[in-house]
Every structure is written in structure tokens, then in C-alpha cells.
């Protein structure tokens, strides 16, 4: 709400329902609109409709609901609709363990939609970052006209700790405009201004391949290649401003941990414990997961001998790390519905240093 | 379409995508005429549609804001847009397969909530765009690409379905009765709650061809002859009314007369 969110649509699902209940209470008082929809497909649909009607819009969900949202998210990417999706990841697959933790949706957020898409996904590790990165997610969604994901996990989602609400921060205002080409840009990675319903722009919004005015171009190879290409470059050309990592004790490290989300908290504790024993270990924390911080991981190549990637899935991020790091890589996947213990990570790292 | 209504059509279009003999062009005319006669501000009009032939009725043809969404989801998108900007007049135009099969859940929940949406359902009794498969409105026994031996199942009665779900105004007219159809669309738009208009619109290419009704005239004659007004239908047996298209207008009070149901919005006693 600090970021200017004016619309929430959702469907109850553990462990994300607290966000929905909070919005049900607070949003109408602030002049926004809240609605509980009949399922997650309807929720993301209503979010997209509201976004085109001019509202900064969001939803929150978890595993099974995230799966149901995939078709609408593809529509949001293709129609360049700003929206924010908070996924409080739980132990999957399927219904899995609804109250238990997991982080198995990393690949789904990028590859769960059919076709080739580029999206932005952020990974908070604290209550403070749930706040800070939600604001950032809204700003990026509005600036780039795309869905932005907050890939939290159940452990962060249910964490109780102090956080500071800021008095001053920047919020992005959508660039509106009715120049007649709401779906085209002269630049290969450009973001066109976005009129809203009621502005008199006679909008043609469609999930089919379209030209810069919105007219369907469903059989022209060049039109499809140009649109898909721009939607990819819109994200990839801005990777430097999107990618956000945090480095701990890496300067002289021989072994680096690459971690994200709640797991990175334990990883930092493990690194500190081993440093106390004189072991040269460090941590690269990924606060952006998509676009993947390839250069930042590749920068470890030649600097550290080995990389350790602990995850509450079986190597979803380790696979991406493998693509850009040529040294020894140890992937540790744990999917028992529990967070990865500090002692587990210490033991794994001790075998490497 | 007369010149006076061309202002509602998007410039630069070279004809429609509808097959010869399709009823959707008549429905497009009725929708545009209804909007014109109501004198609505085009800037505040939003047309939402799903996927299928009927979803093309507003998009790209009508010169207003249009949101051409995913298969079945039009009503959910419309719900979000209406809530975010209540000043918009939101009209959903889509087909029977889109709104009632894959989108059936969204339809009944929107009717239950009673938001001010108008849903116009072009019912051609078949999936046209995907090649003539059976839908939730295909008559029992009718041939389709997926029921070559005849449809073993019966169709939804959309009027009863949507009225039972809580719609404030429901109407059904065929494209062979364009004036009552246009008036029903006007009443639906004026209704400040959820309203629904089912439109019987023939599909020569898929339904006609597969059911020995190749002659477009015969197809329209069939729709006209099957249509029977509410008053004429009153008191007739279910057997007599089987396969007939009962046309007219309904409100929640009709449910009370039938001995069941609570009027939406009225306090429970």
C-alpha cells in the first residue's frame, strides 16, 4: 500500500492468506478495492483487468494457486500489464505440505508459462525485505509494464521480527499517454506509455500477437518475432538495474555459498561460524532471481575454488549457477518441509574447505 | 449497418471475420444500436471478451476500449476493471463455450456478487472457431466433431442457470428478433446489477453443416420456428418445450413464482 497499490484480488491459500486478510481490512479504508475471487485463475484475471483500469494491482498465493495463475501471467507478460504477485512458497509438488516450507517455484516463475518470457523475480529474506522488495516490485512492474514476482517462502512469510517502515521512498508512477501505439516502441527494448480504460484511447488489448496499435497479427512471422523480441529485451537490456545481490566475506574466500530467501540467513550464520574457525568462506546472496545474476556468479569464477548452493528444492538455482561457474559446485537440496539448519550447512561446507 | 452507426466501428477494418450466414454480425449491430440509443459516452465504455468467434464481436470491431482476454476469463477480467473504475460501463460479449463451459465458474460467481456488469452470450450451440466440437449448449442428439453419433448429453438452460445464480435481469432472444433483442440489451445495460442476455445466433459453418442444415435460410427458419415466447410457453409440458427456445425476459421474482430462491439483495427473513 505504501507503494500505491489500489487493488487486490485473491483466493485463500495457506501460507499466504494473511496478506489477503490484511488487504481486506486495510485497502478499502485507503480508497482501494479488494475482492475475494472464486479461484486463482479469476484472481489474476481481475488483477489484470484492474491494472488496465488504472490501478496498481496485486495478488498473493502459494504453490497450487501459483500453478493456476500461469495462464493469466502469460497474458500479463504479452499485454505488458503491470502487476505484482507474491508467492509464499510451500512444500510441493501438488498440495504437498501446505503449512511447510519450500522454494520449489523458482523455475516455475520463469518457465511455467508456455512460450518464451522474461520476468522479474525478487527474493526477500526478512520481514524488512518483504516490505522493501514489495515496494521495489511495484516500481519495477510499473516502469517495465510486466508482472513482477516476490518469491518468498513460508519461513519468511510467517516470520515475526521488527521492520522499519520508511517515511520517504520513491514510488514509480505509470507513464500514461495516448499516442496511439500502446504496444510498440522504436527501441528494441522500449517500454511504451500505457493508457488506461476510460482515457479515450479506444484500446485494443489482446493476448494474441499484435502490432504496436493492438491489432491482431496472428499469421505474420515478423510481427511475432518483433513483439517477443522486444518483451525479452525489455528485461534483459536492463539486467544491471534489475539484478541485486549482496556479498558477505567474499574478498578472500576460497569457497562461496550462493543462497537466497530464508536459506541465506542460515547460510550467513554458517559462514560466520566457519570464519570464526579461520575457514575462508563467503556468501553471495541473490536478492534478484530473474533475470538470473549470471555475471555476479561468473565473477566468482577464478576467485573461489568451489561454490556451495543450498536450496529447499533439488538444484533449481544450482543449475543456473552451473551455467556460469566452471569450478567445483556442490548442490544441496532439501525437501522435507523444514528449513535447512545452520549445522547442516556448516557440515556440508566443512567437507569443502 | 446504417451510416449513423458507423461511428461506433473501428476505422480501417476491412469487413468482419464472420462466416457468411453467421448470426454474430446481427448481434454486433444490435449491441452498437443499443449503445447508440442509450446515448452512452463512448469513453466510459469497456467491452470485454474471451476466446472464440463471438469474442470478436467487440474486438476489434467496436471503436471503444476493448479487452480481448483468455478463454473463459472475460467475466473475471471485467470484474477487476469495474471495481478499479466503477465509472466504466462494462459489457462482456462472448460465446456459449467461452462463458459457460471453461468460464462457467466465473459466470455464476459474478451473478452471485451482483456487480454492475452486462454479459451478452452469443449461443451458437457449438464451438465454431476450433472446428465444430460439442459445447455445454449443444442440443441432445446433435452432431458435432466430438459427438459424431449425436450428443449424448443435454444442454444448459442458461436463463435458469444465471437467474438461479443471482442475476438481476436475464433475457433470451434470437438474432431473428433484432428489435426485442436490442431492447433487452438496453435494459441489461441500464440494470445496475449483474445482467445477462442470451442470444440464439446460428452457425452455418459448423452446426449447420454437421446437422443437415446447410442452407442458411433453413438454419434461420429453424431458430425462428423453435422460438416461443414466455407467455406462449406458460403451462406447456416439458416434453412440448423440449428443444424449443423460450424467449423473453426474467427477473429474480420469477424464481419466487416458481416456488424457490431468494431475491438477491433482499434481506433474508
Amino acid at each position: 500500500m505504501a507503494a500505491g497499490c489500489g487493488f487486490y484480488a485473491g483466493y485463500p491459500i495457506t501460507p499466504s492468506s494473511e496478506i489477503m486478510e490484511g488487504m481486506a481490512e486495510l485497502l478499502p479504508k485507503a480508497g482501494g478495492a479488494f475482492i475475494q475471487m472464486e479461484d486463482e485463475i479469476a484472481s489474476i484475471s481481475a488483477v489484470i483487468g484492474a491494472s488496465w483500469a488504472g490501478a496498481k494491482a496485486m495478488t498473493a498465493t502459494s504453490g497450487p494457486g501459483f500453478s493456476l495463475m500461469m495462464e493469466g501471467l502469460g497474458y500479463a507478460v504479452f499485454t505488458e500489464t503491470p502487476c505484482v504477485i507474491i508467492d509464499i512458497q510451500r512444500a510441493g509438488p501438488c498440495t504437498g505440505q501446505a503449512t511447510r516450507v519450500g522454494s520449489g517455484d523458482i523455475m516455475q516463475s520463469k518457465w511455467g508459462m508456455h512460450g518464451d518470457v522474461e520476468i522479474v523475480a525478487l527474493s526477500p529474506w526478512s520481514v524488512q525485505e518483504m516490505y522493501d522488495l514489495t515496494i521495489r516490485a511495484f516500481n519495477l512492474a510499473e516502469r517495465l509494464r510486466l508482472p513482477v514476482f516476490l518469491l518468498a517462502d513460508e519461513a519468511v512469510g510467517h516470520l515475526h521480527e521488527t521492520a522499519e517502515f520508511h517515511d520517504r521512498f520513491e514510488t514509480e508512477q505509470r507513464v500514461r499517454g495516448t499516442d496511439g501505439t500502446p504496444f510498440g516502441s522504436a527501441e528494441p527494448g522500449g517500454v511504451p506509455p500505457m493508457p488506461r480504460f476510460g482515457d479515450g484511447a479506444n484500446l485494443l488489448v489482446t493476448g494474441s500477437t499484435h502490432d504496436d496499435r493492438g491489432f491482431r497479427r496472428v499469421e505474420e512471422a515478423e510481427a511475432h518475432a518483433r513483439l517477443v523480441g522486444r518483451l525479452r529485451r525489455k528485461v534483459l537490456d536492463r539486467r544491471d538495474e534489475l539484478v541485486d545481490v549482496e556479498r558477505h566475506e567474499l574478498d578472500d574466500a576460497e569457497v562461496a555459498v550462493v543462497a537466497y530467501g530464508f536459506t541465506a540467513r542460515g547460510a550467513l550464520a554458517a559462514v560466520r561460524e566457519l570464519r570464526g574457525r579461520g575457514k575462508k568462506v563467503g556468501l553471495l546472496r541473490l536478492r534478484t532471481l530473474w533475470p538470473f545474476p549470471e555475471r555476479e556468479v561468473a565473477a566468482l569464477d577464478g576467485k573461489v575454488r568451489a561454490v556451495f548452493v543450498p536450496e529447499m528444492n533439488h538444484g533449481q538455482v544450482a543449475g543456473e549457477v552451473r551455467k556460469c561457474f566452471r569450478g567445483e559446485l556442490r548442490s544441496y537440496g532439501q525437501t522435507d518441509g523444514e528449513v535447512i539448519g545452520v549445522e547442516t550447512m556448516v557440515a556440508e561446507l566443512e567437507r569443502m574447505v | 449497418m446504417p451510416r449513423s452507426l458507423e461511428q461506433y466501428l473501428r476505422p480501417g477494418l476491412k469487413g468482419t471475420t464472420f462466416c457468411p450466414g453467421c448470426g454474430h454480425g446481427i448481434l454486433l449491430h444490435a449491441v452498437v444500436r443499443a449503445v447508440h440509443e442509450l446515448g452512452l459516452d463512448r469513453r466510459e465504455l469497456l467491452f470485454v471478451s474471451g476466446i472464440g468467434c463471438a469474442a470478436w464481436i467487440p474486438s476489434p470491431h467496436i471503436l471503444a476500449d476493448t479487452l480481448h482476454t483468455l478463454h473463459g476469463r472475460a467475466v473475471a477480467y471485467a470484474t477487476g476493471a469495474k471495481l478499479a473504475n466503477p465509472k466504466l460501463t462494462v459489457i462482456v460479449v462472448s460465446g456459449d463455450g467461452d462463458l459457460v463451459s471453461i468460464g462457467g465458474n466465473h459466470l455464476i460467481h459474478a451473478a452471485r456478487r451482483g456487480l454492475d456488469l452486462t454479459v451478452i452470450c452469443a449461443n451458437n450451440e457449438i464451438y465454431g472457431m476450433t472446428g465444430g466440437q460439442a459445447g455445454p449448449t449443444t442440443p441432445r442428439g446433435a452432431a458435432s466433431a466430438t459427438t459424431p453419433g449425436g450428443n449424448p448429453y443435454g444442454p444448459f438452460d442458461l436463463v435458469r442457470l444465471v437467474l438461479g445464480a443471482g442475476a438481476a435481469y436475464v433475457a433470451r432472444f434470437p438474432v431473428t428478433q433484432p428489435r426485442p433483442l436490442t431492447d433487452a440489451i438496453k435494459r441489461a445495460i441500464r440494470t445496475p446489477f449483474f445482467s445477462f442476455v442470451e442470444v440464439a445466433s446460428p452457425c452455418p459453418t459448423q452446426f449447420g453443416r454437421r446437422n443437415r442444415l446447410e442452407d442458411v435460410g433453413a438454419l434461420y427458419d429453424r431458430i425462428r420456428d423453435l422460438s416461443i415466447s414466455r407467455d406462449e410457453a406458460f403451462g406447456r409440458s416439458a416434453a412440448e418445450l423440449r428443444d424449443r427456445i423460450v424467449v423473453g425476459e426474467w427477473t429474480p421474482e420469477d424464481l419466487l413464482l416458481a416456488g424457490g430462491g431468494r431475491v438477491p439483495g433482499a434481506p433474508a427473513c
Side-chain angles (χ1 to χ4, degrees):
Chain A
M1 286 177 57
C5 177
F7 184 86
Y8 185 103
Y11 184 79
I13 185 165
T14 304
S16 75
S17 300
E18 290 88 342
I19 298 173
M20 183 183 189
E21 291 164 12
M23 291 304 257
E25 188 184 340
L26 298 175
L27 202 50
K29 288 179 191 164
F34 168 90
I35 187 165
Q36 180 171 330
M37 295 299 286
E38 53 273 15
D39 56 34
E40 287 89 347
I41 298 172
S43 301
I44 189 67
S45 300
V47 162
I48 295 168
S51 186
W52 276 99
K56 289 186 180 180
M58 72 167 288
T59 186
T61 189
S62 185
F66 197 49
S67 294
L68 284 181
M69 287 184 182
M70 284 298 139
E71 66 158 16
L73 290 169
Y75 187 91
V77 170
F78 212 48
T79 55
E80 301 180 70
T81 308
C83 53
V84 170
I85 298 91
I86 300 181
D87 177 19
I88 309 290
Q89 297 170 88
R90 66 192 221 186
C94 196
T95 310
Q97 293 186 319
T99 61
R100 299 294 185 154
V101 71
S103 60
D105 306 351
I106 312 297
M107 280 294 166
Q108 186 184 15
S109 69
K110 171 77 167 70
W111 301 108
M113 295 160 254
H114 52 281
D116 287 274
V117 301
E118 290 293 336
I119 48 85
V120 176
L122 311 177
S123 172
W125 77 341
S126 63
V127 173
Q128 184 69 51
E129 283 192 353
M130 284 298 293
Y131 175 76
D132 292 341
L133 295 188
T134 300
I135 293 173
R136 177 162 153 84
F138 271 104
N139 287 346
L140 293 174
E142 296 294 328
R143 193 185 312 156
L144 298 181
R145 279 185 63 180
L146 47 63
V148 175
F149 300 85
L150 205 66
L151 292 179
D153 52 55
E154 183 274 339
V156 171
H158 281 163
L159 203 58
H160 286 258
E161 62 184 1
T162 55
E164 190 183 338
F165 291 173
H166 311 305
D167 294 329
R168 286 166 170 268
F169 50 85
E170 285 182 23
T171 55
E172 194 83 21
Q173 296 309 317
R174 191 177 300 176
V175 180
R176 282 162 52 193
T178 54
D179 67 351
T181 58
F183 304 100
S185 171
E187 294 168 39
V191 183
M194 179 176 175
R196 62 181 175 182
F197 296 144
D199 280 349
N202 295 318
L203 279 162
L204 269 174
V205 184
T206 174
S208 296
T209 299
H210 43 275
D211 64 18
D212 54 5
R213 294 175 301 158
F215 282 96
R216 268 179 295 265
R217 295 284 180 258
V218 295
E219 289 180 351
E220 295 167 25
E222 196 267 336
H224 192 66
R226 189 176 61 217
L227 180 57
V228 173
R230 183 173 62 78
L231 297 185
R232 280 171 49 75
R233 289 197 55 179
K234 193 165 83 167
V235 174
L236 297 178
D237 288 359
R238 292 172 177 79
R239 57 95 52 208
D240 285 346
E241 71 171 280
L242 298 172
V243 167
D244 180 16
V245 300
E246 208 175 69
R247 296 176 180 85
H248 298 269
E249 318 267 6
L250 277 175
D251 287 346
D252 61 342
E254 292 168 5
V255 173
V257 186
V258 177
Y260 55 93
F262 192 84
T263 304
R265 291 171 78 115
L268 183 59
V271 163
R272 286 186 176 148
E273 187 175 327
L274 287 167
R275 278 278 171 184
R277 287 192 243 152
K279 309 282 190 188
K280 291 188 173 174
V281 295
L283 168 68
L284 179 70
R285 177 163 83 94
L286 311 181
R287 218 155 27 178
T288 302
L289 289 173
W290 302 115
F292 192 73
E294 290 170 358
R295 274 180 224 157
E296 290 71 11
V297 172
L300 297 173
D301 222 355
K303 283 193 70 182
V304 301
R305 178 175 49 76
V307 158
F308 174 57
V309 188
E311 302 180 78
M312 292 182 281
N313 60 57
H314 289 287
Q316 295 192 14
V317 163
E320 293 303 299
V321 172
R322 175 81 283 169
K323 291 180 189 170
C324 24
F325 180 78
R326 281 168 296 178
E328 180 191 339
L329 185 146
R330 187 178 187 87
S331 167
Y332 178 82
Q334 179 178 307
T335 50
D336 59 356
E338 302 281 352
V339 298
I340 304 173
V342 177
E343 65 289 350
T344 305
M345 286 189 260
V346 168
E348 292 288 326
L349 280 166
E350 275 179 331
R351 293 192 216 171
M352 299 175 70
V353 289
Chain B
M1 198 173 290
R3 279 284 158 85
S4 60
L5 296 181
E6 282 182 2
Q7 57 174 309
Y8 293 94
L9 300 184
R10 201 172 283 275
L13 293 175
K14 303 182 185 94
T16 75
T17 51
F18 305 132
C19 301
C22 173
H24 292 356
I26 302 171
L27 175 53
L28 169 62
H29 185 168
V31 171
V32 163
R33 184 172 287 279
V35 166
H36 178 68
E37 290 178 3
L38 287 172
L40 298 173
D41 181 355
R42 195 168 28 211
R43 287 175 67 101
E44 293 181 352
L45 272 178
L46 169 62
F47 287 94
V48 187
S49 60
I51 293 290
C53 299
W56 289 62
I57 292 172
S59 164
H61 298 111
I62 298 181
L63 185 63
D65 284 333
T66 59
L67 180 61
H68 201 135
T69 71
L70 293 165
H71 197 22
R73 316 297 172 218
V75 174
Y77 280 75
T79 299
K82 179 68 183 178
L83 279 171
N85 183 357
K87 279 197 285 188
L88 295 172
T89 298
V90 182
I91 303 169
V92 175
V93 186
S94 221
D96 46 315
D98 184 75
L99 287 166
V100 189
S101 185
I102 188 167
N105 201 31
H106 308 309
L107 179 68
I108 58 174
H109 282 275
R112 169 181 66 83
R113 290 190 194 101
L115 281 177
D116 181 10
L117 302 175
T118 296
V119 177
I120 300 169
C121 176
N123 181 356
N124 59 7
E125 303 175 292
I126 202 157
Y127 283 93
M129 190 174 275
T130 49
Q133 298 84 5
T137 50
T138 302
R140 194 183 294 274
S144 77
T146 48
T147 57
N151 183 16
Y153 310 114
F156 268 127
D157 179 336
L158 300 187
V159 166
R160 282 199 290 175
L161 175 75
V162 180
L163 202 59
Y169 172 85
V170 177
R172 179 194 283 133
F173 288 100
V175 293
T176 51
Q177 298 181 28
R179 190 62 250 180
L181 169 63
T182 305
D183 290 338
I185 294 171
K186 287 167 68 178
R187 268 190 284 278
I189 293 172
R190 276 204 305 259
T191 301
F193 306 104
F194 187 89
S195 54
F196 182 83
V197 181
E198 179 190 350
V199 186
S201 177
C203 174
T205 304
Q206 298 296 353
F207 189 87
R209 183 165 58 89
R210 294 172 193 278
N211 288 280
R212 299 186 178 180
L213 292 158
E214 286 96 341
D215 180 69
V216 172
L219 199 57
Y220 278 75
D221 288 346
R222 169 182 171 270
I223 297 264
R224 185 196 61 206
D225 296 343
L226 287 178
S227 294
I228 176 172
S229 74
R230 262 189 77 158
D231 291 343
E232 287 176 283
F234 188 76
R236 297 203 187 199
S237 69
E240 282 179 282
L241 292 175
R242 178 167 300 159
D243 296 334
R244 299 298 297 267
I245 302 169
V246 180
V247 305
E249 298 167 287
W250 289 263
T251 60
E253 283 74 16
D254 292 307
L255 283 177
L256 296 180
L257 289 174
R262 185 173 75 83
V263 180
C269 20

